[in-house]
Amino acid sequence: MRYLERGYLEKDELPPLPSEERLTSKKPVVYIECPQPIPCSPCYESCRFDAIKMDNINDPPEVDYEKCTGCMACLRVCPGLAIFLVHVKNGKGYVTLQYEFLPWLEKGDRVKLFSRKGDELGEGTITWALKPERNDRTQLVTVEVDRELIFEVRAVRKR
Amino acid sequence: MRLESHPIVDFKRGKEVTIYFNGKPVKAYEGETVAASLYASGVRVFSRSFRFHRPRGFFCAIGKCSQCMMEVDGVPNIRTCKVYVRDGMQIRTQNAVPDAENDYLAIIDKLIDTFFPHGSHYKKFNSPKFLREFVTRQMRKMAGFGNVPRRAPDVNAEYEEIDADVAVVGGGPGGLSAAIHSAKYGAKVVLLDENNYLGGQLIKQTHRFFGSGRHRAGTRGIRIAEILEEDLMKYGNVDVRKETKVFGIYGMDVVGVQNDTKLLKVRAKRIVIATGAYERTLIFENNDLPGVYGAGGVQTLMNVFGIKPGNRGLIVGSGNVGLILTYQLLQAGIDVSAIVEAMPRIGGYFVHAAKVRRLGVPIYTRHTILRAKGEKRVEGAVIAQLDEKWNVVKGSEKDIDCDFICVAVGLSPAHELLYHAGADMKFVPELGGMVPLRTRFNETSVKGVYVAGDVAGIEEATAAIMEGRIAGIHAAISLGYGGDEAEEELDEAVKDLEEFRAGPFGERIVCGLEKCVLESEVML
Ligand SMILES: Cc1cc2nc3c(=O)[nH]c(=O)nc-3n(C[C@H](O)[C@H](O)[C@H](O)COP(=O)(O)OP(=O)(O)OC[C@H]3O[C@@H](n4cnc5c(N)ncnc54)[C@H](O)[C@@H]3O)c2cc1C
Ligand code: SF4
Ligand code: SF4
Ligand code: FES
């Protein structure tokens, strides 16, 4: 539980990664960074594809990457901002995440990228943005990043 | 200092009005409290301390700490965080010459230790007699808070008595849920809350809640308050009294003051006490400086009234409250220089910590705040590392750049009414302090008096709602309402709560609860 001393996960504490095949397949896949047992289950309850395993409300969620269709239902509701959608397409990486800051983001915006630790990782471009009012003011945004960075970029802020 | 835009909240400000602070006009908006309007106009020193005349700012913003007391329209000792502005209102600071911002008597704070070391006031000026009498007279002039009004305020006082099956004190999630579930089975319910809104602490919680979807997880706290209120208003057998401060419970009579002008007596058959909690503070040098605020106080200012507490904050405590507050500050465009936590680990949920860490806020575990810097307001802070034995590691002091400090070190149950009702109380650290003994159905040792929410033990809103449900249904059943359907729901409610508390975060609570169960369970 070293992560509780720091507030972020190190590489060796991350959940198993989806296979290369799954990452590059047609649909994006969910990646959940929620390792601690807490009484929380909206992700599990929102998944219609039975892709999230959770026997008890206090269990951390476990994703079956093969079942996940990338529908984003869980991403919409997660109160922990702990769910990320990752995808690789034409050699480019894409991360979709929740965003609750002003100014709201739009397609084409350039944003700064941040790691779990808050280190700056350069810039990226927003390729899709769900309007805030469509999801009770939590935007979902997709940012295009280096392929290697899809398991690094965990926050964006407009420059 | 007012926020014009916010990602989550739309601030609906009322009509612009003018209030007068120590004679000077101040712009305010209807719907704001006096304390909020003053803060927005840059006032930081709200009062002076009783003996040493040290500057004090607001702390809790929910009427619990008394640091914001001023004279309002001639009436002394009014908690300005609990009165709403009216055009032309006259507000004066008390206990200071000429006013709290520039108080000459503050010299006492500088001189006291040099000339009057502790305890010396018992020995000095005792003789000769004329000196003693002279000094006593001067001291009496200086002592006390505020001046007694010169004439009685000209208001028409009223008196009302109501009969109710269930009286619920407190309209937070616990109280709302109790009222809903009693009313649902037909009981006549009266709900009393001192605020001019319902929802209690929920109305400043702009984040999405944890828990299960069934208990509205994934929904923002502010919306949960709205949903609960709508639910309650569906029932015709509910009488809601806002701006009603309950000050006593005499037998089964609940007594309060409504809108400052009406004395209200509710003759109830059952009472649910859901008064919530107080914010705790922490001992460190200068912890009374204006700018050292309770976490909830800052949330109120920022999320309810849309007023910026400052430009850069330091958060003390990494429980969920501290972590959530940090995120909310960032959302309002306010910087957070750091979070300090004395324990070796973050106290709240990891996911809450990760949210702010990735936005660059450092979290210093095994660190504490040593002192706040500044004369009349916070101008910085010093933090330091702690070793295994909780001693400060020499040379580890670090200056922190901040203009306000949020103390988020936990809450204590607001239990006065329980004492008044005569409930058996017990100190249970796991539950946050003195809490009532209670049955599985949240009935206290006083038959017919129930508790729900933080006042029964500090937990969180989902648990408060579940406890309110149990207390509300049980109260209704005990009055003969509901029949089998109610019995079934009661069983389910008890089970739901048990399951909710089954994880590691619930362990502490369960352990605390074991220490305060009433064996003599009142069976139905
Ligand atoms: C920063 C913060 C973040 C939180 N985050 C979460 C979260 O993510 N999830 C979660 O589940 N919980 C969370 N909580 C906890 C949750 O808000 C509280 O546990 C919950 O509000 C307690 O409900 P309650 O009904 O017991 O008390 P409260 O909400 O405090 O309500 C008590 C009510 O009683 C009224 N009252 C008190 N005394 C009197 C009197 N004498 N006369 C009349 N009225 C009176 C008060 O005005 C108030 O409206 C958070 C709390 C804070 C401070
Ligand atoms: S993205 Fe859709 S399918 Fe995948 S885990 Fe989330 S809810 Fe289930
Ligand atoms: S909804 Fe989010 S915070 Fe809650 S268990 Fe799922 S991933 Fe974790
Ligand atoms: S009582 Fe008003 S700030 Fe605490």
Side-chain angles (χ1 to χ4, degrees):
Chain A
M1 301 262 272
R2 287 291 308 277
Y3 57 82
L4 274 182
E5 292 166 29
R6 300 184 230 106
Y8 57 88
L9 294 172
E10 291 280 22
K11 276 232 161 61
D12 59 337
E13 292 161 330
L14 290 176
L17 303 185
S19 67
E20 192 58 29
E21 239 180 341
R22 180 66 191 83
L23 279 174
T24 50
S25 74
K26 236 190 180 140
K27 290 191 169 134
V29 64
V30 122
Y31 190 66
I32 302 189
E33 302 184 8
C34 182
Q36 185 188 27
I38 51 174
C40 185
S41 59
C43 55
Y44 163 76
E45 283 152 8
S46 63
C47 182
R48 287 178 296 127
F49 301 94
D50 196 24
I52 297 179
K53 192 171 147 255
M54 186 185 282
D55 292 333
N56 174 294
I57 182 166
N58 277 290
D59 285 342
E62 241 177 76
V63 185
D64 182 335
Y65 299 125
E66 300 313 315
K67 284 189 186 161
C68 172
T69 64
C71 75
M72 299 198 287
C74 55
L75 195 63
R76 278 173 174 265
V77 291
C78 168
L81 310 194
I83 306 186
F84 305 89
L85 202 67
V86 289
H87 198 201
V88 174
K89 207 166 71 188
N90 305 330
K92 276 288 191 187
Y94 296 87
V95 180
T96 306
L97 41 79
Q98 291 159 291
Y99 179 84
E100 300 182 311
F101 287 87
L102 292 179
W104 294 120
L105 298 179
E106 282 174 33
K107 189 173 167 180
D109 279 346
R110 293 286 288 168
V111 289
K112 279 189 181 164
L113 311 173
F114 296 94
S115 71
R116 296 183 183 87
K117 254 167 101 170
D119 292 339
E120 231 183 285
L121 298 172
E123 287 188 3
T125 307
I126 299 295
T127 56
W128 175 80
L130 179 73
K131 291 223 179 326
E133 57 275 18
R134 298 279 306 276
N135 190 34
D136 196 9
R137 302 204 176 187
T138 302
Q139 267 201 301
L140 303 185
V141 298
T142 306
V143 59
E144 186 181 87
V145 300
D146 264 1
R147 198 214 164 297
E148 290 71 48
L149 289 182
I150 57 170
F151 292 106
E152 301 294 328
V153 171
R154 287 301 170 256
V156 300
R157 288 303 295 271
K158 198 160 171 175
R159 287 185 298 161
Chain B
M1 295 301 264
R2 285 189 176 82
L3 292 164
E4 292 312 323
S5 53
H6 188 280
I8 312 298
V9 197
D10 295 320
F11 300 109
K12 295 181 206 88
R13 300 204 165 94
K15 206 175 87 205
E16 192 180 315
V17 295
T18 307
I19 58 173
Y20 295 87
F21 179 59
N22 291 328
K24 285 198 212 78
V26 170
K27 187 174 87 171
Y29 294 95
E30 271 176 5
E32 285 180 352
T33 59
V34 170
S37 299
L38 292 178
Y39 198 88
S41 76
V43 176
R44 293 294 173 272
V45 183
F46 279 51
S47 63
R48 287 280 169 166
S49 72
F50 186 55
R51 280 171 77 184
F52 302 145
H53 289 255
R54 289 169 63 81
R56 295 272 161 91
F58 86 91
F59 180 79
C60 69
I62 49 167
K64 311 266 190 195
C65 76
S66 302
Q67 285 200 178
C68 64
M69 287 203 306
M70 295 184 200
E71 186 180 297
V72 177
D73 287 338
V75 184
N77 299 335
I78 300 287
R79 292 161 306 156
T80 53
C81 68
K82 292 262 80 175
V83 275
Y84 295 90
V85 295
R86 253 180 301 107
D87 199 33
M89 217 174 207
Q90 292 284 345
I91 294 123
R92 297 192 172 277
T93 51
Q94 326 182 117
N95 200 36
V97 187
D99 56 45
E101 180 71 34
N102 307 293
D103 181 12
Y104 297 132
L105 296 173
I107 192 88
I108 297 173
D109 189 31
K110 298 273 183 307
L111 299 182
I112 201 96
D113 286 343
T114 324
F115 294 102
F116 304 98
H118 242 59
S120 67
H121 56 286
Y122 291 112
K123 287 184 244 143
K124 287 221 161 96
F125 309 119
N126 265 344
S127 60
K129 188 169 169 234
F130 83 87
L131 179 65
R132 182 174 72 227
E133 285 177 352
F134 174 76
V135 171
T136 309
R137 240 177 291 132
Q138 301 315 311
M139 282 186 157
R140 288 212 172 122
K141 275 190 210 158
M142 281 169 62
F145 272 131
N147 300 312
V148 178
R150 275 176 285 276
R151 58 189 182 87
D154 49 349
V155 283
N156 279 331
E158 292 169 67
Y159 176 64
E160 186 186 348
E161 283 187 16
I162 12 181
D163 288 297
D165 287 327
V166 184
V168 180
V169 186
L176 279 170
S177 169
I180 291 169
H181 287 93
S182 283
K184 177 174 160 187
Y185 291 110
K188 180 170 182 283
V189 177
V190 177
L191 175 72
L192 311 135
D193 194 292
E194 60 177 328
N195 294 321
N196 69 351
Y197 53 81
L198 294 179
Q201 305 302 318
L202 288 177
I203 73 142
K204 47 197 164 193
Q205 289 167 24
T206 51
H207 60 283
R208 291 173 188 269
F209 268 45
F210 286 73
S212 82
R214 216 153 26 107
H215 306 118
R216 307 193 180 86
T219 310
R220 298 185 190 283
I222 36 178
R223 310 254 189 276
I224 296 180
E226 289 164 12
I227 296 171
L228 289 174
E229 185 170 354
E230 273 166 31
D231 250 15
L232 183 67
M233 292 310 169
K234 280 198 311 235
Y235 301 103
N237 44 337
V238 179
D239 182 353
V240 175
R241 303 291 174 115
K242 297 181 192 172
E243 284 192 68
T244 302
K245 168 99 191 154
V246 174
F247 63 81
I249 291 179
Y250 302 89
M252 275 303 192
D253 290 345
V254 179
V255 188
V257 174
Q258 189 175 350
N259 295 325
D260 287 336
T261 52
K262 186 197 274 177
L263 185 63
L264 188 69
K265 180 160 117 183
V266 185
R267 281 189 302 245
K269 299 197 180 100
R270 300 287 180 268
I271 301 172
V272 181
I273 299 180
T275 45
Y278 295 120
E279 277 191 273
R280 289 203 198 133
T281 189
L282 189 71
I283 308 293
F284 58 90
E285 194 180 322
N286 265 343
N287 69 350
D288 59 342
L289 205 60
V292 178
Y293 306 135
V298 166
Q299 280 193 316
T300 306
L301 202 62
M302 178 171 68
N303 297 344
V304 179
F305 299 111
I307 295 167
K308 279 172 84 166
N311 296 315
R312 202 170 158 78
L314 168 69
I315 313 294
V316 184
S318 72
N320 278 335
V321 172
L323 298 171
I324 291 170
L325 175 64
T326 305
Y327 185 70
Q328 294 177 346
L329 284 163
L330 298 174
Q331 283 183 303
I334 300 159
D335 282 343
V336 177
S337 41
I339 300 173
V340 289
E341 167 61 58
M343 300 296 281
R345 280 183 192 169
I346 290 160
Y349 295 167
F350 166 75
V351 284
H352 276 315
K355 267 188 216 180
V356 297
R357 199 45 244 247
R358 62 173 83 114
L359 294 170
V361 178
I363 302 174
Y364 296 107
T365 47
R366 270 216 180 285
H367 274 70
T368 191
I369 177 166
L370 289 185
R371 64 179 161 277
K373 298 197 292 188
E375 282 292 319
K376 273 193 222 161
R377 59 194 61 189
V378 170
E379 284 160 19
V382 180
I383 65 167
Q385 202 183 338
L386 294 170
D387 65 17
E388 250 83 281
K389 295 196 180 112
W390 305 92
N391 295 318
V392 169
V393 176
K394 277 223 176 65
S396 68
E397 290 87 357
K398 206 186 312 245
D399 277 324
I400 296 286
D401 171 28
C402 60
D403 62 358
F404 68 102
I405 296 166
C406 299
V407 183
V409 292
L411 305 160
S412 298
H415 49 215
E416 295 81 350
L417 290 175
L418 285 165
Y419 278 102
H420 206 197
D424 290 337
M425 306 288 286
K426 188 171 176 187
F427 183 75
V428 182
E430 291 88 344
L431 299 180
M434 296 299 295
V435 292
L437 303 184
R438 83 294 303 263
T439 67
R440 207 151 66 88
F441 304 115
N442 276 43
E443 190 168 6
T444 66
S445 61
V446 183
K447 195 168 163 17
V449 176
Y450 296 77
V451 281
D454 280 354
V455 68
I458 306 302
E459 215 170 331
E460 31 93 291
T462 312
I465 293 172
M466 293 168 141
E467 281 191 349
R469 181 175 173 214
I470 293 171
I473 302 174
H474 194 274
I477 294 177
S478 72
L479 290 168
Y481 292 103
D484 289 348
E485 196 192 330
E487 299 269 2
E488 268 165 42
E489 189 181 349
L490 183 62
D491 275 350
E492 184 194 308
V494 171
K495 270 197 216 99
D496 269 1
L497 186 54
E498 272 166 17
E499 187 186 326
F500 182 79
R501 286 175 175 152
F505 271 89
E507 235 167 65
R508 218 175 117 81
I509 302 292
V510 172
C511 173
L513 285 173
E514 276 163 13
K515 298 183 188 169
C516 56
V517 273
L518 267 180
E519 295 302 338
S520 61
E521 200 152 276
V522 194
M523 292 315 286
L524 290 167

